[in-house]
Amino acid sequence: MKQGRKETITTRIISTTFTVVALAVFKPFWMSDWQWQGYAHLIVLGVIGFLICMMTDIILKYVVKMPRSFKKGAEYIIRRNLRFQLINTPLVALSICLYRHFVLNEHDAGNQLSVVNFLETLAIIAFCSFAIGLYWRFKYRSKYLAIELEDTRLLNEELKKMQEPEQSLPNEAEHSVENSQPQELTLTGTTNESVTLQISDLLYIEAVGNYVRVSHLRNNQVHTDMLRATMKLMEETLESYPMIVRCHRAFMVNLGQVEQIISHSGTTQLLIKHCHESLPVSRSNMAQVRAAIQIAQPL
């Protein structure tokens, strides 16, 4: 058996055992009336929970296309675990409700399948799932951090390669010139103010109330200009430049001016050259930043 498969089975066994122990302690579903028979039912519920967990892994692998892997970075693992819980929790709750209806209901009519009983079971399983998630997050914290650091290291390497001037063949250079975007750009707002700059000199744009702060180089010195404009307007103006991406709801950044990507305890920041400002990267924008680094060409 492959190591990854063995680790998955071990994880699911421990998780279902935790849930069974929690049910044995709190004795929901009128199990306190079953005496020793209740423990036999708990074992059955544990087996059902384990099978549902394995089925959820199959759904994630073949339907959602998210196989279990520690090689795709900490962000991938967190997203996969979240999707696992969102799929697995209602499936386990529904399975337990069906077991209550067809087996436990013969002893106590209160176990009959109903919306109320499903919500009750869902709340119990969701609590157990949350507690188990905290346990695994703590247990694998060091592994997650190591993956996160390695993921950031590789991304920094891709960033440096992206920023290196490319040596194109003559026909490729000619094609590139014909299709390249203007390198001098004028950013305008809703009033008369405007900023004209070389696109490669743009550092970042920050939303400040009803204005945006444009940070850029002028004669190798960092300058900032304020425009009355929205980030949406700036995005529309700069959408043809793949190196300029939205990294946060309040920031757009020129990846060509990023000195380093810093990741720490689940948060990611971009260290900007010349001004040494650190811009936050929101989790929802991280995929966009990563994709831009992998496909964008130097300005």
Side-chain angles (χ1 to χ4, degrees), residues 10-292:
T10 301
T11 300
R12 302 310 173 213
I13 290 175
I14 294 175
S15 298
T16 52
T17 300
F18 175 89
T19 302
V20 168
V21 171
L23 294 177
V25 171
F26 295 104
K27 293 183 173 62
F29 322 139
W30 293 274
M31 283 189 173
S32 57
D33 299 335
W34 283 83
Q35 299 180 358
W36 67 269
Q37 296 96 329
Y39 295 101
H41 288 296
L42 284 174
I43 293 175
V44 176
L45 290 178
V47 173
I48 292 174
F50 173 77
L51 294 176
I52 296 297
C53 286
M54 300 306 294
M55 185 177 73
T56 304
D57 272 320
I58 293 174
I59 292 173
L60 281 172
K61 183 176 181 180
Y62 295 104
V63 179
V64 186
K65 305 299 183 182
M66 294 187 74
R68 180 181 173 89
S69 174
F70 283 103
K71 297 180 180 180
K72 295 187 177 183
E75 183 185 356
Y76 173 85
I77 296 172
I78 293 172
R79 285 191 288 112
R80 186 186 187 278
N81 288 345
L82 178 59
R83 284 168 173 75
F84 179 91
Q85 290 182 326
L86 290 176
I87 296 172
N88 187 72
T89 301
L91 287 179
V92 172
L94 180 60
S95 300
I96 292 177
C97 280
L98 292 174
Y99 186 83
R100 292 176 61 184
H101 178 76
F102 291 108
V103 180
L104 301 183
N105 192 48
E106 296 179 0
H107 182 270
D108 195 312
N111 284 304
Q112 189 173 6
L113 183 62
S114 66
V115 174
V116 173
N117 280 349
F118 173 75
L119 293 177
E120 174 195 23
T121 307
L122 182 64
I124 293 171
I125 300 304
F127 172 79
C128 292
S129 180
F130 175 75
I132 293 167
L134 290 179
Y135 167 76
W136 288 119
R137 186 175 180 85
F138 176 79
K139 181 176 176 61
Y140 287 115
R141 179 175 177 80
S142 59
K143 181 180 288 189
Y144 287 160
L145 290 177
I147 293 171
E148 185 178 70
L149 290 174
E150 177 64 13
D151 189 38
T152 303
R153 185 187 68 80
L154 294 175
L155 199 58
N156 274 303
E157 288 183 359
E158 292 180 352
L159 177 68
K160 297 303 180 185
K161 290 179 181 178
M162 180 197 70
Q163 293 174 347
E164 292 174 356
E166 292 188 345
Q167 301 297 324
S168 303
L169 296 175
N171 60 337
E172 293 177 334
E174 182 180 352
H175 179 77
S176 177
V177 170
E178 291 176 353
N179 293 279
S180 62
Q181 296 296 326
Q183 295 305 292
E184 185 174 273
L185 182 70
T186 298
L187 299 176
T188 58
T190 57
T191 56
N192 294 328
E193 294 88 355
S194 64
V195 180
T196 300
L197 48 77
Q198 291 291 319
I199 194 66
S200 59
D201 289 336
L202 176 65
L203 300 178
Y204 65 89
I205 300 175
E206 178 184 4
V208 184
N210 295 325
Y211 291 81
V212 294
R213 178 186 290 118
V214 181
S215 180
H216 60 101
L217 295 177
R218 184 185 301 158
N219 298 324
N220 292 323
Q221 297 294 322
V222 177
H223 288 264
T224 58
D225 291 277
M226 301 294 290
L227 295 176
R228 188 174 180 84
T230 64
M231 291 296 282
K232 183 178 180 180
L233 177 60
M234 293 296 100
E235 277 190 296
E236 292 173 352
T237 303
L238 296 165
E239 63 182 354
S240 59
Y241 298 92
M243 295 274 281
I244 314 298
V245 297
R246 188 82 170 260
C247 64
H248 187 271
R249 63 180 179 83
F251 291 96
M252 290 183 67
V253 65
N254 178 5
L255 292 174
Q257 294 289 357
V258 174
E259 182 175 341
Q260 185 181 8
I261 301 171
I262 303 171
S263 184
H264 179 67
S265 300
T267 62
T268 304
Q269 294 183 325
L270 305 178
L271 182 63
I272 307 301
K273 297 177 182 178
H274 308 290
C275 62
H276 300 292
E277 295 280 351
S278 294
L279 306 186
V281 181
S282 62
R283 184 166 294 177
S284 59
N285 290 105
M286 187 61 207
Q288 181 181 354
V289 172
R290 186 186 300 274

